[in-house]
Amino acid sequence: MNIIITGGAGFIGSHVVRLFVNKYPQYKIINLDKLTYAGNLANLKDVEDKPNYKFVKMDICDFEGVYKLMQDEHVDGIIHLAAESHVDRSIKDPFTFAQTNVMGTLSMLQAAKLYWESLPEKWEGKRFYHISTDEVYGALEMTHPEGIKPPFTTKASSGEHHLAYGEKFFTEDLKYQPHSPYSAAKASSDHFVRAFHDTYGMPTIVTNCSNNYGPYQFPEKLIPLFINNIRHRKPLPVYGKGENVRDWLYVEDHARAIDLIFHKGKIAETYNIGGFNEWKNIDIIKVVINTVDRLLGRPEGQDMDLITYVTDRAGHDMRYAIDSSKLQRELGWEPSLQFEEGIEKTVRWYLDNQEWMDNVTSGDYLKYYEDMYAGR
Ligand code: NAD
Ligand code: TYD
């Protein structure tokens, strides 16, 4: 197959590109990325010289460019990750999110439609796989702030002991109720993908995944930002009371799920991806502090005094919790890492890759960061 992976220079995209390039030497993998502040080719140093890998710097909104690339490369599959992905940025600049996430996805869909429809075999052997988020479902109530034992028999990445903070979970049949400009734009793009299946018969798949963590995540997101701040003993800005709940999945487990679903998923289906691994922000922050301290040889917990409660995020969703039992049942996917192992690997990676961190935190990003947290 010849596959375009959009957003391959970003956090999740780089793990997907790496997995596909290494696992499928018979495929041609084309990484299409605009290289925004979040795209970084240093994330792919280890695969850039492989013969089955090609990078193309392109905006997904460039419909004609994408259409020509599909023709030139005889593309049969698209794994679409390119997006603006940070909620706080979407609150400040919703237009960019609508442009990239909605219009960019539409441009990819329309280019694929025109190219695939022009072929004698049409949709045969083709696939448009759209990567989305659990945030499109909105927020779940925290009916059990003290935590309850989750009712799952499926494998969880949180270990037997871990708790759920409500009875309800995001399932694939829930109606969309996005709250942030980011999730509204992602929800809109999901609707367009399904509309291309329902209207034109395009072979599409959509997956909605929970919060990812792991190496190469841009340090504006909670876990890498906090690891870096702890290292440099800078304040840790905790939004509100730190009680919001997120469901965390190690990024390589997401990439493995994408590989499985791209090859074995049913056309027109939606699959939720998550590891049944709910954490209150403040609890995860304490785990991260203890881990960084221990790995840096500081007394464990010494840096708890960096925790700084700041004004809450506008419209801050209370709880996300994914029910991924359909994926586990139908395709046999399971998270491979327990959270404790995943967080240890992640902290160790950021501490060992200070040069990567220094590169991405310099220049424009620093200025943006200072503006964003000015006065906090
Ligand atoms: P990211 O912000 O780290 O990377 C986004 C990539 O897209 C960057 O390489 C960037 O250069 C590229 N990009 C942005 N605009 C572009 C454009 N107009 N044209 C071409 N390329 C462009 O994002 P991420 O965290 O890796 O997320 C990837 C996808 O997964 C997104 O669609 C996101 O909604 C989804 N997702 C993310 C998470 C998460 O926890 N990070 C969870 C579920 C789903
Ligand atoms: P984030 O990593 O931005 O992911 P998302 O908003 O997509 O879930 O944030 C994860 C959680 O951490 C979210 O509840 C907001 C909170 N948060 C903070 O408390 N402080 C911060 O500096 C950041 C970036 C996030």
Short mmCIF file of all heavy atoms in Angstrom, two decimals, residues 148-160 162-171 247 274-278 319 321-326 328:
data_model
loop_
_atom_site.label_atom_id
_atom_site.label_comp_id
_atom_site.label_asym_id
_atom_site.label_seq_id
_atom_site.Cartn_x
_atom_site.Cartn_y
_atom_site.Cartn_z
N ILE A 148 -14.93 4.63 42.58
CA ILE A 148 -15.58 3.33 42.74
C ILE A 148 -14.81 2.30 41.94
O ILE A 148 -14.09 2.65 41.00
CB ILE A 148 -17.06 3.34 42.25
CG1 ILE A 148 -17.15 3.94 40.84
CG2 ILE A 148 -17.95 4.05 43.24
CD1 ILE A 148 -18.53 3.82 40.21
N LYS A 149 -15.03 1.04 42.28
CA LYS A 149 -14.36 -0.02 41.52
C LYS A 149 -15.01 -0.10 40.14
O LYS A 149 -16.23 -0.21 40.03
CB LYS A 149 -14.53 -1.34 42.28
CG LYS A 149 -13.56 -2.41 41.87
CD LYS A 149 -13.59 -3.55 42.86
CE LYS A 149 -12.95 -4.83 42.33
NZ LYS A 149 -12.17 -4.79 41.15
N PRO A 150 -14.25 -0.02 39.07
CA PRO A 150 -14.87 -0.05 37.75
C PRO A 150 -15.41 -1.45 37.43
O PRO A 150 -14.85 -2.45 37.89
CB PRO A 150 -13.73 0.34 36.79
CG PRO A 150 -12.48 0.15 37.55
CD PRO A 150 -12.80 0.13 39.01
N PRO A 151 -16.48 -1.52 36.65
CA PRO A 151 -17.15 -2.81 36.42
C PRO A 151 -16.56 -3.62 35.28
O PRO A 151 -17.21 -4.53 34.79
CB PRO A 151 -18.57 -2.35 36.06
CG PRO A 151 -18.38 -1.04 35.38
CD PRO A 151 -17.17 -0.41 35.99
N PHE A 152 -15.32 -3.34 34.86
CA PHE A 152 -14.85 -3.96 33.63
C PHE A 152 -14.24 -5.32 33.84
O PHE A 152 -13.52 -5.55 34.79
CB PHE A 152 -13.82 -3.08 32.94
CG PHE A 152 -14.31 -1.69 32.79
CD1 PHE A 152 -13.75 -0.66 33.49
CD2 PHE A 152 -15.39 -1.44 31.97
CE1 PHE A 152 -14.23 0.61 33.37
CE2 PHE A 152 -15.89 -0.17 31.85
CZ PHE A 152 -15.30 0.87 32.56
N THR A 153 -14.50 -6.17 32.85
CA THR A 153 -13.82 -7.46 32.84
C THR A 153 -12.69 -7.43 31.82
O THR A 153 -11.84 -8.30 31.79
CB THR A 153 -14.80 -8.58 32.45
OG1 THR A 153 -15.50 -8.15 31.30
CG2 THR A 153 -15.79 -8.87 33.57
N THR A 154 -12.71 -6.39 30.96
CA THR A 154 -11.66 -6.25 29.94
C THR A 154 -10.38 -5.75 30.60
O THR A 154 -10.39 -5.25 31.71
CB THR A 154 -12.11 -5.23 28.88
OG1 THR A 154 -12.72 -4.16 29.54
CG2 THR A 154 -13.06 -5.84 27.89
N LYS A 155 -9.29 -5.84 29.82
CA LYS A 155 -8.00 -5.47 30.41
C LYS A 155 -7.89 -3.94 30.54
O LYS A 155 -8.30 -3.19 29.66
CB LYS A 155 -6.87 -5.98 29.53
CG LYS A 155 -5.53 -5.70 30.17
CD LYS A 155 -4.41 -6.50 29.55
CE LYS A 155 -3.09 -6.06 30.17
NZ LYS A 155 -1.94 -6.56 29.46
N ALA A 156 -7.37 -3.51 31.66
CA ALA A 156 -7.20 -2.09 31.90
C ALA A 156 -5.72 -1.78 32.04
O ALA A 156 -4.94 -2.60 32.53
CB ALA A 156 -7.92 -1.68 33.17
N SER A 157 -5.32 -0.57 31.62
CA SER A 157 -3.90 -0.21 31.81
C SER A 157 -3.70 0.42 33.18
O SER A 157 -2.62 0.89 33.49
CB SER A 157 -3.43 0.74 30.70
OG SER A 157 -4.28 1.82 30.54
N SER A 158 -4.78 0.46 33.98
CA SER A 158 -4.67 1.12 35.28
C SER A 158 -4.41 0.15 36.43
O SER A 158 -4.26 0.58 37.56
CB SER A 158 -5.96 1.88 35.55
OG SER A 158 -7.04 1.00 35.41
N GLY A 159 -4.39 -1.13 36.15
CA GLY A 159 -4.17 -2.07 37.25
C GLY A 159 -5.47 -2.33 37.99
O GLY A 159 -6.39 -1.53 37.94
N GLU A 160 -5.53 -3.43 38.68
CA GLU A 160 -6.75 -3.87 39.37
C GLU A 160 -7.25 -2.85 40.37
O GLU A 160 -8.44 -2.66 40.55
CB GLU A 160 -6.47 -5.18 40.12
CG GLU A 160 -6.28 -6.37 39.23
CD GLU A 160 -7.54 -6.72 38.47
OE1 GLU A 160 -8.58 -6.90 39.13
OE2 GLU A 160 -7.49 -6.77 37.23
N HIS A 162 -7.18 0.35 40.42
CA HIS A 162 -7.54 1.72 40.09
C HIS A 162 -9.05 1.93 40.04
O HIS A 162 -9.83 1.02 39.88
CB HIS A 162 -6.89 2.16 38.78
CG HIS A 162 -6.75 3.65 38.75
ND1 HIS A 162 -6.01 4.33 39.68
CD2 HIS A 162 -7.32 4.58 37.97
CE1 HIS A 162 -6.11 5.62 39.43
NE2 HIS A 162 -6.91 5.80 38.40
N LEU A 163 -9.45 3.20 40.19
CA LEU A 163 -10.86 3.52 40.41
C LEU A 163 -11.45 4.29 39.24
O LEU A 163 -10.75 4.93 38.46
CB LEU A 163 -10.97 4.38 41.68
CG LEU A 163 -10.47 3.70 42.96
CD1 LEU A 163 -10.49 4.70 44.11
CD2 LEU A 163 -11.31 2.47 43.29
N ALA A 164 -12.81 4.25 39.15
CA ALA A 164 -13.56 5.11 38.23
C ALA A 164 -14.23 6.18 39.08
O ALA A 164 -14.49 5.96 40.26
CB ALA A 164 -14.58 4.29 37.46
N TYR A 165 -14.50 7.33 38.46
CA TYR A 165 -15.09 8.42 39.23
C TYR A 165 -16.56 8.68 38.86
O TYR A 165 -17.11 9.72 39.19
CB TYR A 165 -14.23 9.69 39.07
CG TYR A 165 -12.89 9.51 39.72
CD1 TYR A 165 -11.75 9.22 38.97
CD2 TYR A 165 -12.76 9.56 41.11
CE1 TYR A 165 -10.52 9.01 39.59
CE2 TYR A 165 -11.55 9.36 41.73
CZ TYR A 165 -10.43 9.08 40.97
OH TYR A 165 -9.22 8.87 41.58
N GLY A 166 -17.19 7.71 38.21
CA GLY A 166 -18.61 7.82 37.88
C GLY A 166 -19.04 6.51 37.24
O GLY A 166 -18.19 5.70 36.85
N GLU A 167 -20.38 6.32 37.13
CA GLU A 167 -20.85 5.05 36.53
C GLU A 167 -20.83 5.12 35.01
O GLU A 167 -20.81 4.09 34.35
CB GLU A 167 -22.29 4.73 36.94
CG GLU A 167 -22.46 4.36 38.40
CD GLU A 167 -23.06 5.52 39.18
OE1 GLU A 167 -23.18 6.62 38.61
OE2 GLU A 167 -23.40 5.29 40.35
N LYS A 168 -20.91 6.35 34.47
CA LYS A 168 -21.06 6.47 33.01
C LYS A 168 -19.70 6.58 32.32
O LYS A 168 -18.75 7.13 32.88
CB LYS A 168 -21.89 7.70 32.68
CG LYS A 168 -23.33 7.57 33.16
CD LYS A 168 -24.27 8.34 32.26
CE LYS A 168 -25.71 8.08 32.67
NZ LYS A 168 -26.40 9.31 33.01
N PHE A 169 -19.67 6.05 31.08
CA PHE A 169 -18.45 6.10 30.26
C PHE A 169 -18.84 6.54 28.85
O PHE A 169 -20.00 6.47 28.48
CB PHE A 169 -17.80 4.70 30.21
CG PHE A 169 -17.28 4.29 31.55
CD1 PHE A 169 -18.12 3.73 32.49
CD2 PHE A 169 -15.95 4.51 31.88
CE1 PHE A 169 -17.65 3.39 33.76
CE2 PHE A 169 -15.48 4.17 33.14
CZ PHE A 169 -16.32 3.61 34.08
N PHE A 170 -17.84 7.03 28.10
CA PHE A 170 -18.10 7.35 26.70
C PHE A 170 -18.18 6.04 25.92
O PHE A 170 -17.21 5.30 25.86
CB PHE A 170 -16.96 8.18 26.11
CG PHE A 170 -16.79 9.57 26.69
CD1 PHE A 170 -15.52 10.07 26.93
CD2 PHE A 170 -17.89 10.39 26.95
CE1 PHE A 170 -15.34 11.37 27.42
CE2 PHE A 170 -17.71 11.69 27.44
CZ PHE A 170 -16.44 12.17 27.68
N THR A 171 -19.35 5.81 25.29
CA THR A 171 -19.49 4.67 24.39
C THR A 171 -19.69 5.21 22.98
O THR A 171 -20.03 6.39 22.81
CB THR A 171 -20.70 3.79 24.78
OG1 THR A 171 -21.82 4.65 24.99
CG2 THR A 171 -20.42 3.00 26.05
N ASP A 247 -8.50 10.28 31.23
CA ASP A 247 -8.29 8.84 31.08
C ASP A 247 -7.05 8.69 30.20
O ASP A 247 -7.07 9.10 29.03
CB ASP A 247 -9.56 8.30 30.39
CG ASP A 247 -9.59 6.81 30.28
OD1 ASP A 247 -8.59 6.16 30.59
OD2 ASP A 247 -10.63 6.27 29.85
N GLY A 274 -9.08 3.42 24.57
CA GLY A 274 -8.69 3.91 25.89
C GLY A 274 -8.31 2.75 26.79
O GLY A 274 -8.61 1.59 26.48
N GLY A 275 -7.66 3.05 27.88
CA GLY A 275 -7.11 1.98 28.72
C GLY A 275 -7.78 1.84 30.07
O GLY A 275 -7.22 1.22 30.98
N PHE A 276 -9.00 2.36 30.23
CA PHE A 276 -9.67 2.33 31.54
C PHE A 276 -8.71 2.80 32.63
O PHE A 276 -8.38 2.06 33.54
CB PHE A 276 -10.21 0.93 31.85
CG PHE A 276 -11.28 0.48 30.89
CD1 PHE A 276 -11.08 -0.61 30.06
CD2 PHE A 276 -12.49 1.14 30.83
CE1 PHE A 276 -12.06 -1.02 29.17
CE2 PHE A 276 -13.48 0.74 29.94
CZ PHE A 276 -13.26 -0.35 29.11
N ASN A 277 -8.27 4.03 32.49
CA ASN A 277 -7.19 4.51 33.36
C ASN A 277 -7.45 5.97 33.77
O ASN A 277 -6.77 6.88 33.35
CB ASN A 277 -5.87 4.39 32.58
CG ASN A 277 -4.68 4.78 33.40
OD1 ASN A 277 -4.64 4.58 34.62
ND2 ASN A 277 -3.69 5.37 32.75
N GLU A 278 -8.48 6.13 34.63
CA GLU A 278 -8.89 7.48 35.04
C GLU A 278 -8.02 8.00 36.17
O GLU A 278 -7.77 7.27 37.14
CB GLU A 278 -10.33 7.45 35.56
CG GLU A 278 -11.36 7.25 34.50
CD GLU A 278 -12.76 7.16 35.11
OE1 GLU A 278 -13.17 8.11 35.80
OE2 GLU A 278 -13.41 6.13 34.90
N ARG A 319 -14.93 15.39 33.48
CA ARG A 319 -14.41 14.01 33.48
C ARG A 319 -14.51 13.40 32.09
O ARG A 319 -15.55 13.53 31.43
CB ARG A 319 -15.23 13.18 34.47
CG ARG A 319 -14.96 11.70 34.42
CD ARG A 319 -15.70 10.91 35.51
NE ARG A 319 -15.56 9.49 35.31
CZ ARG A 319 -16.53 8.66 34.93
NH1 ARG A 319 -17.76 9.12 34.73
NH2 ARG A 319 -16.30 7.39 34.73
N ALA A 321 -13.92 9.56 30.37
CA ALA A 321 -13.66 8.14 30.66
C ALA A 321 -14.17 7.32 29.48
O ALA A 321 -15.36 7.33 29.18
CB ALA A 321 -14.35 7.71 31.95
N ILE A 322 -13.26 6.66 28.81
CA ILE A 322 -13.58 5.93 27.58
C ILE A 322 -13.93 4.47 27.89
O ILE A 322 -13.23 3.81 28.68
CB ILE A 322 -12.35 5.96 26.64
CG1 ILE A 322 -12.36 7.22 25.78
CG2 ILE A 322 -12.26 4.74 25.77
CD1 ILE A 322 -13.17 7.13 24.50
N ASP A 323 -15.00 4.00 27.26
CA ASP A 323 -15.29 2.57 27.28
C ASP A 323 -14.76 2.00 25.96
O ASP A 323 -15.35 2.22 24.90
CB ASP A 323 -16.80 2.35 27.40
CG ASP A 323 -17.17 0.88 27.41
OD1 ASP A 323 -16.30 0.04 27.10
OD2 ASP A 323 -18.33 0.56 27.71
N SER A 324 -13.65 1.27 26.03
CA SER A 324 -13.04 0.73 24.80
C SER A 324 -13.36 -0.76 24.66
O SER A 324 -12.64 -1.49 23.96
CB SER A 324 -11.53 0.94 24.81
OG SER A 324 -10.94 0.26 25.89
N SER A 325 -14.45 -1.23 25.32
CA SER A 325 -14.68 -2.68 25.30
C SER A 325 -15.02 -3.20 23.90
O SER A 325 -14.74 -4.35 23.60
CB SER A 325 -15.71 -3.10 26.34
OG SER A 325 -16.82 -2.29 26.29
N LYS A 326 -15.62 -2.33 23.04
CA LYS A 326 -15.94 -2.79 21.67
C LYS A 326 -14.64 -3.17 20.94
O LYS A 326 -14.55 -4.24 20.33
CB LYS A 326 -16.65 -1.67 20.91
CG LYS A 326 -16.89 -1.96 19.45
CD LYS A 326 -17.64 -0.82 18.77
CE LYS A 326 -17.69 -1.01 17.26
NZ LYS A 326 -18.37 0.11 16.59
N GLN A 328 -11.76 -3.94 22.28
CA GLN A 328 -11.12 -5.09 22.94
C GLN A 328 -11.84 -6.39 22.53
O GLN A 328 -11.20 -7.40 22.24
CB GLN A 328 -11.13 -4.90 24.46
CG GLN A 328 -10.39 -3.62 24.88
CD GLN A 328 -9.87 -3.62 26.31
OE1 GLN A 328 -9.84 -4.63 26.99
NE2 GLN A 328 -9.44 -2.45 26.78
#
